[in-house]
Each structure stands twice: as structure tokens, then as C-alpha cells.
């Protein structure tokens, strides 16, 4: 079995270190923009994958939504700043349902 060199291991940076270096530290304006873009991309990708599972085109989804195909493309690519209501409408067209869970914490 191959042994890990402790000296090399110490030199490795963590993923968080990489994010800090590339996009700024947590709480910085640059990191906030990165985090928002990441979330937008994630949900857009989720919608795209579901659309493909259903063998629907962007145009078909757009027609059901009453929007242009280019809008769906921007949403799927994380380039559209959509309202939550629009996201839920697209998700419903794709058969995705969200069940809200509210947790109350006592401080």
C-alpha cells in the first residue's frame, strides 16, 4: 500500500482556501457574488437536467410558460435573475414540486 507523504499533505490547500484565493474570503462582496452565481447556476442546471429527462425542448417549456426560448436558455445557464414565482412555475411545468419545511428555532 502506498504511503502518504505528510510533508506533501501539509502543502495541499483546502477547497475553501482555493475559493478564498479565487473569489475572495467569506463575507467579501466578491465572494457574495460568486456564491449567488453558484446557486443560480445550480438551480438552472437542475431545471435543464429535468427538462432533458422529459425530452422537452427549451422552446416547448417557454411556450408553456408564455416566454421566449432565450429566457429559458438564460435561466438554465444561470444568467437570468428570476423571481421565485417564475422558478416555481418552470419547476411545475417540469413536474418538480417543492414542499416548504419551516423550522422554528428557540434562541
Amino acid at each position: 500500500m502506498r504511503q502518504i507523504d505528510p510533508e506533501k499533505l501539509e502543502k495541499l490547500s483546502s477547497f475553501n482556501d482555493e475559493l478564498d484565493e479565487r473569489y475572495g474570503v467569506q463575507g467579501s462582496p466578491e465572494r457574495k457574488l460568486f456564491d449567488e452565481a453558484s446557486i443560480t447556476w445550480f438551480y438552472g442546471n437542475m431545471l435543464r437536467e429535468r427538462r432533458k429527462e422529459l425530452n422537452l425542448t427549451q422552446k416547448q417549456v417557454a411556450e408553456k410558460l408564455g416566454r421566449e426560448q432565450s429566457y429559458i436558455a438564460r435561466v438554465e445557464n444561470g444568467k437570468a435573475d428570476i423571481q421565485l414565482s417564475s422558478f416555481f412555475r418552470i419547476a411545475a411545468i417540469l413536474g418538480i414540486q417543492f414542499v416548504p419545511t419551516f423550522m422554528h428555532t428557540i434562541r
Side-chain angles (χ1 to χ4, degrees):
M1 178 177 243
R2 188 172 177 187
Q3 295 293 319
I4 296 175
D5 184 348
E7 289 179 19
K8 287 183 179 178
L9 191 59
E10 286 181 22
K11 293 178 184 177
L12 290 176
S13 60
S14 72
F15 187 68
N16 285 333
D17 292 338
E18 293 292 324
L19 288 175
D20 290 349
E21 187 176 318
R22 286 188 187 189
Y23 304 106
V25 296
Q26 282 285 12
S28 70
E30 297 84 7
R31 183 64 166 267
K32 184 178 178 186
L33 287 174
F34 170 76
D35 290 344
E36 289 171 358
S38 298
I39 291 168
T40 303
W41 177 88
F42 173 80
Y43 285 109
N45 189 61
M46 180 186 69
L47 295 174
R48 176 181 34 256
E49 291 302 314
R50 178 62 178 157
R51 175 184 60 76
K52 288 181 176 183
E53 285 176 9
L54 297 173
N55 293 314
L56 294 172
T57 65
Q58 289 178 343
K59 185 174 182 177
Q60 289 170 318
V61 174
E63 287 171 354
K64 291 180 181 188
L65 189 63
R67 300 292 300 257
E68 297 291 321
Q69 175 274 329
S70 60
Y71 174 73
I72 300 301
R74 287 193 319 275
V75 168
E76 289 183 355
N77 290 315
K79 303 297 182 193
D81 186 15
I82 65 172
Q83 295 180 349
L84 190 57
S85 59
S86 296
F87 176 79
F88 284 144
R89 286 178 51 219
I90 296 169
I93 289 168
L94 299 174
I96 301 170
Q97 293 183 351
F98 291 91
V99 179
T101 303
F102 299 97
M103 296 177 61
H104 178 73
T105 57
I106 300 173
R107 294 180 187 218

